[in-house]
Amino acid sequence: MNSKVKHIPPTLESLTRSTLLCLTAIGVIASITPAFLIALVPLSVAFYFIQKYFRVASKHEARFKQRMLELTDTNNTAYLFLSAANRWLEVRTLTNYLNWVVRNLADLEVQMAAVEKVNTFLGTGSENYDGSMDSSQVPENWPQDGEIKIQDLCVRYDSSLKAVLKHVNASIKPGQKVGICGRTGSGKSSLSLAFFNMVDIFEGKIVIDGIDICKLPLQTLRSRLSIILQDPVLFSGSIRFNLDPERKCTDDRLWEALEIAQLKNMVKALPGGLDAVVTEGGENFSVGQRQLFCLARAFVRKSSILIMDEATASIDMATENILQKVVMTAFSDRTVVTIAHRVHTILTADLVIVMKRGNILEYDKPDTLLEQEDGMFASFVRADM
């Protein structure tokens, strides 16, 4: 979203420039060939209605699919229609000014969706950060074991919406490696958000090491768990800040984490080492490197519970193998819950949970589930081969 917002000024500048150039070209043509104005009138009317349709479609996309800021197929169709419609005028002027006007308008519409999202967030009510438990009542080393009990859990994103998780029950023992899979919309990511109390848990509860997470202050809860997302998150600053924002760890600990994530040699070669600059969003590193930095950060935090929400979806197979190897070794004594993007990544898990439409459909060891040839997990594995 930040990248979309920061591109608005140059896009606006480009739109203004291309619009003025286009108007100038039209003026020159009209002065030489006045009959051109007759053809320009119906073309202008057509462009007006097409652009009006595009704006409505773009706003609809921004409102109902907040995670997608790119153009949808419908928007692409409109854009292609716009491009095709201006070919005659483009040939007539021997320029591509109008083409750039259309392109810049399309880009600006999409980028302004990010501004609309920011405005929506500003109007969103604050979460209940305090909880019913005081932070002093929470043991300093909680969660120490990493035992998770999900009891009759029901989750929704808003009180006016339907439940996305419906009476989910599961028990995860300390140190277990658990894989969660299912089709799109099955509730996998909603469950990962529930661990951090980022959705409305209106019925049931999640108990971690004997404490209902809904009773905890949000700062306490979210600072004690670790998560690696599909899109790795790095912050502007230094590598040291990204690994240890609270500056609680020694350099030796940070270098150990980087070595485990196989980033030590790369960081040593950078000017400043641990103090090397990380640009906004970590754009001076590859996606795979960013994901490994997130893995190193999770190791530094020493949390007994690690959530991996489709963490391998955006990385290549080589980086995925590194990540999986680190999880199985450096996190061998920690509870790891993996929301699987590729089913083969959870074949070695201790427990597999298959979800469908907000319910648990299958729940057992992967070998046991594979024996059920007509089961959903077995079908996922066959499709992934």
Side-chain angles (χ1 to χ4, degrees):
M1 183 170 66
N2 289 337
S3 61
K4 295 292 182 182
V5 174
K6 73 179 182 181
H7 289 153
I8 290 178
T11 301
L12 190 59
E13 179 188 0
S14 180
L15 174 62
T16 303
R17 182 172 61 253
S18 58
T19 300
L20 290 176
L21 288 171
C22 184
L23 291 176
T24 302
I26 292 175
V28 172
I29 294 173
S31 65
I32 298 174
T33 312
F36 171 74
L37 295 175
I38 299 175
L40 185 63
V41 172
L43 190 62
S44 299
V45 173
F47 266 86
Y48 169 77
F49 284 106
I50 292 172
Q51 292 284 6
K52 186 176 180 181
Y53 163 77
F54 176 80
R55 284 194 295 271
V56 173
S58 181
K59 289 180 180 178
H60 176 81
E61 179 70 10
R63 184 176 299 113
F64 294 100
K65 295 186 177 180
Q66 294 185 354
R67 291 188 179 181
M68 296 182 62
L69 297 179
E70 296 84 5
L71 294 174
T72 60
D73 291 338
T74 302
N75 298 138
N76 283 329
T77 302
Y79 175 76
L80 291 173
F81 185 39
L82 285 169
S83 298
N86 73 39
R87 289 306 177 195
W88 179 84
L89 183 58
E90 194 173 41
V91 172
R92 181 66 179 175
T93 57
L94 303 176
T95 66
N96 64 347
Y97 297 148
L98 189 56
N99 187 51
W100 276 106
V101 170
V102 174
R103 181 179 300 179
N104 288 326
L105 275 174
D107 290 343
L108 188 62
E109 288 284 351
V110 174
Q111 292 160 9
M112 287 302 292
V115 177
E116 186 177 357
K117 284 184 66 176
V118 172
N119 189 51
T120 301
F121 292 149
L122 290 174
T124 302
S126 299
E127 298 175 281
N128 178 18
Y129 279 87
D130 298 331
S132 59
M133 285 182 66
D134 189 86
S135 57
S136 60
Q137 297 177 278
V138 184
E140 186 177 348
N141 58 354
W142 181 93
Q144 183 175 12
D145 300 324
E147 181 184 39
I148 303 173
K149 293 182 178 179
I150 304 172
Q151 302 174 353
D152 205 33
L153 182 68
C154 295
V155 163
R156 59 193 174 192
Y157 284 91
D158 188 81
S159 58
S160 61
L161 300 176
K162 294 181 180 179
V164 291
L165 293 180
K166 308 163 189 175
H167 305 287
V168 172
N169 290 277
S171 179
I172 301 174
K173 297 177 181 178
Q176 272 194 324
K177 307 298 181 284
V178 180
I180 301 177
C181 62
R183 301 187 189 281
T184 301
S186 61
K188 308 185 301 295
S189 293
S190 299
L191 182 57
S192 69
L193 292 175
F195 286 123
F196 294 85
N197 202 5
M198 298 185 71
V199 286
D200 180 17
I201 300 178
F202 66 94
E203 193 173 327
K205 56 186 177 180
I206 298 178
V207 179
I208 297 179
D209 281 3
I211 297 179
D212 182 353
I213 65 169
C214 289
K215 296 180 180 180
L216 292 169
L218 290 183
Q219 174 63 25
T220 302
L221 170 65
R222 295 172 184 175
S223 64
R224 304 291 182 88
L225 307 181
S226 296
I227 186 170
I228 300 178
L229 299 170
Q230 177 179 344
D231 297 317
V233 178
L234 293 182
F235 305 98
S236 302
S238 64
I239 292 176
R240 183 192 304 276
F241 171 74
N242 275 275
L243 295 180
D244 182 29
E246 297 180 350
R247 294 187 176 272
K248 293 182 178 180
C249 295
T250 63
D251 284 6
D252 290 340
R253 177 70 176 178
L254 299 182
W255 284 117
E256 180 188 5
L258 291 172
E259 185 174 15
I260 287 173
Q262 299 190 20
L263 293 170
K264 184 177 180 178
N265 292 335
M266 185 270 290
V267 174
K268 272 192 170 182
L270 296 175
L274 289 173
D275 296 312
V277 174
V278 177
T279 60
E280 183 178 357
E283 293 182 356
N284 55 330
F285 297 103
S286 69
V287 176
Q289 288 173 331
R290 278 179 263 168
Q291 199 65 286
L292 292 175
F293 272 121
C294 292
L295 184 66
R297 180 168 57 204
F299 179 81
V300 167
R301 296 185 70 177
K302 297 182 180 180
S303 173
S304 63
I305 296 177
L306 172 65
I307 312 296
M308 298 178 61
D309 191 354
E310 298 190 355
T312 62
S314 303
I315 59 179
D316 57 79
M317 294 297 294
T319 308
E320 178 184 338
N321 291 334
I322 294 174
L323 191 145
Q324 293 295 335
K325 181 180 178 180
V326 171
V327 169
M328 297 305 295
T329 54
F331 294 83
S332 59
D333 59 340
R334 309 186 193 185
T335 302
V336 180
V337 179
T338 302
I339 311 298
H341 172 69
R342 302 183 181 99
V343 184
H344 72 267
T345 61
I346 58 174
L347 288 176
T348 57
D350 300 314
L351 177 68
V352 167
I353 297 175
V354 183
M355 302 194 67
K356 181 179 181 181
R357 298 177 182 176
N359 296 288
I360 291 181
L361 186 66
E362 298 176 1
Y363 179 96
D364 214 322
K365 295 179 180 180
D367 292 340
T368 303
L369 293 179
L370 286 174
E371 292 174 357
Q372 305 172 13
E373 296 184 0
D374 57 343
M376 182 170 287
F377 181 70
S379 67
F380 285 160
V381 174
R382 287 195 296 269
D384 198 39
M385 289 181 175

